[in-house]
Amino acid sequence: MLHLLKKSIPNIFTSLNFLCGCFASYLAFKNLFEAAFLLVLFGTFFDLFDGFFARIFKVESDFGLQFDSMADLITSGMAPGIVMYNLFMETGVNEFNYTIYILKNEFTFSFAPLALVGFLIPLASSIRLAKFNIDKDQRFDFKGLPAPANALFIVALPLLIEHPLFSSIKSLLLSYGTLFILTLVSSLLMNLRLPLFSFKIRTSSLKDYSYQIFIIISSLPAFYFLGWASVPLIILIYLILNFLKNSIT
């Protein structure tokens, strides 16, 4: 009975991650970006702890690994993809009406073809997650930007764009060119073999976590002034610090 309980706890956290992703996708579709961000944030929190408890209780399994990736595909793939699609829509891209006939039934719908670029994010996320599942070198550090980190960057973009401190460059941030570049770069960063440090605990020595501590300390002022809108900037600091670390080691 105790073993069954231990085995179920990681899957419960994964299930919560999956549900957060589903609700976040729905809220993103409704342009409720702040609520969608919070649910992706909660999903990322649950994603951290499903693996943690699986290791602590020694109940890691192939099922848990695959279930975790399926949940991440929703929370870290589909939800940010919908957010980016809607951001593209806000740039004023043309929307067209289409009619299709299936078994003598007529279906009319509309969408903006140029905004479909946003769905490169769930595609790139699915490739990233598949690579992670078969790569034994990513147990403690990452090769490429983790899908959850990329998701937080994307779903927090609307908060950054709407923040009063960035009102003077809002038109630049919310332009098709900027969003197109961000979509391509974020999709590439997830799948490049770029070494990135993680926040997983390996030793009890603080000196082994100097970069992680620096990220936390440097993020505090940004979070104080910008709140959740600081998340894209924090992810950017994380990437820059990794580039510097890789260049000197």
Side-chain angles (χ1 to χ4, degrees):
M1 182 66 181
L2 181 60
H3 177 72
L4 180 61
L5 179 61
K6 289 181 178 180
K7 193 174 180 180
S8 299
I9 289 176
N11 291 333
I12 291 173
F13 276 89
T14 304
S15 299
L16 291 172
N17 176 21
F18 180 88
L19 292 173
C20 282
C22 291
F23 289 127
S25 298
Y26 172 77
L27 292 169
F29 181 75
K30 294 290 187 179
N31 284 345
L32 299 172
F33 294 130
E34 187 170 2
F37 166 78
L38 290 175
L39 280 169
V40 170
L41 183 66
F42 288 144
T44 303
F45 172 82
F46 293 133
D47 183 45
L48 285 173
F49 279 94
D50 59 4
F52 173 77
F53 282 115
R55 290 188 294 271
I56 290 295
F57 295 144
K58 298 180 180 179
V59 291
E60 294 173 288
S61 66
D62 290 337
F63 170 80
L65 181 65
Q66 300 304 323
F67 186 27
D68 179 69
S69 289
M70 295 302 101
D72 284 345
L73 184 55
I74 303 299
T75 306
S76 302
M78 185 54 67
I82 295 173
V83 168
M84 186 57 79
Y85 177 87
N86 282 340
L87 286 177
F88 274 119
M89 291 296 295
E90 291 189 16
T91 66
V93 294
N94 292 326
E95 194 171 15
F96 300 96
N97 294 322
Y98 297 88
T99 300
I100 60 174
Y101 298 89
I102 301 177
L103 299 177
K104 298 182 179 180
N105 293 305
E106 180 180 312
F107 299 92
T108 301
F109 59 95
S110 61
F111 72 93
L114 290 177
L116 293 177
V117 175
F119 289 111
L120 283 176
I121 293 170
L123 174 61
S125 297
S126 65
I127 296 171
R128 172 70 174 85
L129 292 166
K131 286 181 177 179
F132 181 81
N133 281 357
I134 60 175
D135 192 344
K136 304 302 181 183
D137 293 333
Q138 297 192 59
R139 180 174 176 82
F140 291 111
D141 290 321
F142 301 118
K143 297 292 179 61
L145 183 64
N150 184 70
L152 289 172
F153 178 89
I154 297 298
V155 297
L157 271 179
L159 310 184
L160 181 71
I161 291 171
E162 294 297 332
H163 197 279
L165 286 179
F166 295 92
S167 59
S168 60
I169 59 171
K170 179 179 177 179
S171 59
L172 174 63
L173 294 174
L174 195 58
S175 66
Y176 188 89
T178 299
L179 296 177
F180 183 82
I181 291 171
L182 287 175
T183 299
L184 288 184
V185 170
S186 67
S187 297
L188 287 172
L189 283 174
M190 281 192 286
N191 289 287
L192 289 177
R193 299 291 293 177
L194 177 68
L196 300 174
F197 62 79
S198 73
F199 287 81
K200 296 178 181 179
I201 298 174
R202 290 176 289 182
T203 69
S204 57
S205 175
L206 287 178
K207 68 178 182 180
D208 293 329
Y209 302 98
S210 55
Y211 289 100
Q212 290 87 338
I213 293 171
F214 179 83
I215 284 283
I216 294 171
I217 293 175
S218 61
S219 298
L220 293 177
F223 186 78
Y224 177 79
F225 287 106
L226 299 175
W228 294 121
S230 65
V231 170
L233 300 180
I234 293 171
I235 301 295
L236 186 60
I237 293 172
Y238 169 70
L239 287 170
I240 292 173
L241 194 59
N242 271 284
F243 282 124
L244 293 175
K245 177 178 179 291
N246 293 333
S247 65
I248 62 177
T249 56

